[in-house]
Amino acid sequence: MDAVTFDGHGDTEVIGYGEVPDPEVGRDEVLVDVKAGALNHLDVWTRRGMPGLDLEMPHVPGSDGAGVVAEVGEDVRRFSDGDRVALSAGVSCGSCEFCRNGEYPLCASFHVIGEHVPGVHSEYAAVPADNLVPVPDHVDWETAAAAPLVFQTAWRMLNTRADVSPGESVLVLGASGGVGHAAVQIADHAGAEVFATASTEQKLQYAEELGADHVVNYEETDFADEIRAETGKRGVDVVVDHVGEATWDDSLRSLAKGGRLVTCGATTGGRPETHVQRVFWNQLSILGSTMATPGEADAALEHVWDGTFDVRVRDVLPMSETARAHELLENREGFGKVVVRPDSEYN
């Protein structure tokens, strides 16, 4: 079969697309005939290389994908040939103290398909049955591929970790990205007053269409100053920050007393300076969040499948142009997710 691969870490020139061995299907696995995949910033960081990430090369990336069940392992009962499925990429052991309490993202051996082990940006992928969710017949492949990782991540951030209540105010940074555009909709659905930042007027317009009540162009103004002005110097109850170093201080400045900052990533770097006095004096909470439990993923995706949440796709490319897909993310071009389809499926 053909697959996206890289043989070493580096810039986009390390990405290739070509023939690799067909996957072998384990007893608890499902062979998926992949119809579409989608990219996340996680794919960029995996390709560049991260501390502690030791991959077997060549590596097949991809933590988002959807397709049709082509074969099931002998122990699989949840799925049958021909079923439509999408990937939920977080893998947990199921037996440690955290898993036994239902907190699968805290699993001692938690890892992500596509980041730590081979992913699904290929014509076929062998995936543990526990990491697949059913996709209704009316949902198109681009939506099915693009929704799972970002919507489950944003759902856990806002509903579980930050516990957003109706009437609270939420600031979503980078509203044009995958997690950002999901977070805007989930915060709006929770009954919050939503503030969103983006870098162009078109991206801000898209954010408003998805539920943002106030928008800030961070290229033209300091968003923390703008938020404090908009809220009468109070600040917001919750900030969703997946940007990291470049925004950290302003995110803390944007919070009201007793506010919560929830983070799932650090695309601009993971070692920001923190004014600890601001944290303790204003009694702020800093909450980390990674992926979601199966129940949280199901709840988020139910709202995608029924049309409550809109998955915006900025571009659809053949997998042979995955390098260009990475550039779209790195250069912050467009709004929403980037989808790649196997060349044999692309038209």
Side-chain angles (χ1 to χ4, degrees):
M1 69 172 185
D2 286 337
V4 179
T5 62
F6 53 80
D7 292 314
H9 299 296
D11 293 329
T12 55
E13 65 264 17
V14 303
I15 300 171
Y17 183 70
E19 191 171 316
V20 300
D22 292 340
E24 297 182 4
V25 183
R27 298 176 62 96
D28 63 348
E29 292 185 325
V30 170
L31 183 67
V32 180
D33 179 356
V34 177
K35 302 300 182 183
L39 272 75
N40 301 281
H41 273 282
L42 179 60
D43 294 289
V44 173
W45 288 107
T46 302
R47 183 254 299 165
R48 290 177 179 173
M50 296 179 283
L53 185 63
D54 184 18
L55 297 177
E56 182 178 340
M57 299 291 183
H59 179 70
V60 177
S63 302
D64 264 330
V68 177
V69 173
E71 181 183 339
V72 298
E74 54 192 286
D75 291 341
V76 175
R77 299 293 180 266
R78 289 182 61 219
F79 299 103
S80 302
D81 291 3
D83 286 350
R84 304 172 90 245
V85 295
L87 176 69
S88 182
V91 182
S92 53
C93 72
S95 59
C96 70
E97 59 177 303
F98 301 107
C99 290
R100 287 171 64 85
N101 285 323
E103 281 290 354
Y104 298 98
L106 296 180
C107 174
S109 61
F110 188 80
H111 59 280
V112 178
I113 294 170
E115 178 185 6
H116 305 98
V117 296
V120 297
H121 288 176
S122 52
E123 290 186 309
Y124 290 89
V127 178
D130 286 346
N131 288 97
L132 293 173
V133 295
V135 176
D137 290 342
H138 70 273
V139 177
D140 63 78
W141 291 123
E142 287 83 2
T143 297
L149 191 145
V150 296
F151 277 89
Q152 69 176 277
T153 297
W155 184 274
R156 179 174 174 83
M157 291 176 77
L158 287 160
N159 290 322
T160 304
R161 300 292 288 142
D163 192 21
V164 172
S165 299
E168 289 194 305
S169 51
V170 175
L171 168 62
V172 178
L173 303 188
S176 65
V179 168
H181 94 294
V184 167
Q185 297 177 75
I186 292 169
D188 178 57
H189 185 262
E193 181 180 13
V194 183
F195 297 76
T197 72
S199 60
T200 70
E201 292 306 311
Q202 184 181 45
K203 291 177 181 179
L204 294 173
Q205 180 181 337
Y206 287 146
E208 289 179 316
E209 291 174 2
L210 294 179
D213 300 294
H214 314 273
V215 293
V216 179
N217 187 327
Y218 65 78
E219 294 284 4
E220 297 180 354
T221 185
D222 183 296
F223 73 81
D225 289 343
E226 186 73 16
I227 293 300
R228 299 199 70 78
E230 288 273 354
T231 59
K233 297 185 179 180
R234 176 187 183 275
V236 295
D237 298 298
V238 175
V239 173
V240 176
D241 187 334
H242 50 91
V243 182
E245 284 184 18
T247 56
W248 191 257
D249 187 59
D250 281 339
S251 290
L252 293 176
R253 286 206 299 128
S254 298
L255 285 169
K257 284 181 177 274
R260 295 98 75 195
L261 187 156
V262 60
T263 178
C264 68
T267 56
T268 62
R271 295 183 178 273
E273 291 186 1
T274 299
H275 291 278
V276 178
Q277 296 94 329
R278 177 178 289 123
V279 174
F280 69 71
W281 186 254
N282 290 336
Q283 301 190 50
L284 306 179
S285 298
I286 297 174
L287 306 167
S289 191
T290 296
M291 301 294 284
T293 67
E296 290 163 342
D298 288 345
L301 291 175
E302 179 181 345
H303 290 299
V304 174
W305 305 153
D306 71 13
T308 302
F309 298 150
D310 181 18
V311 182
R312 291 291 176 95
V313 174
R314 67 182 81 176
D315 210 344
V316 181
L317 299 170
M319 284 189 179
S320 58
E321 295 182 21
T322 295
R324 171 59 182 151
H326 278 237
E327 291 171 357
L328 287 169
L329 293 186
E330 291 179 295
N331 298 334
R332 295 178 293 142
E333 299 177 43
F335 188 101
K337 296 293 293 286
V338 180
V339 170
V340 290
R341 302 196 67 169
D343 285 32
S344 56
E345 297 285 343
Y346 183 82
N347 53 49

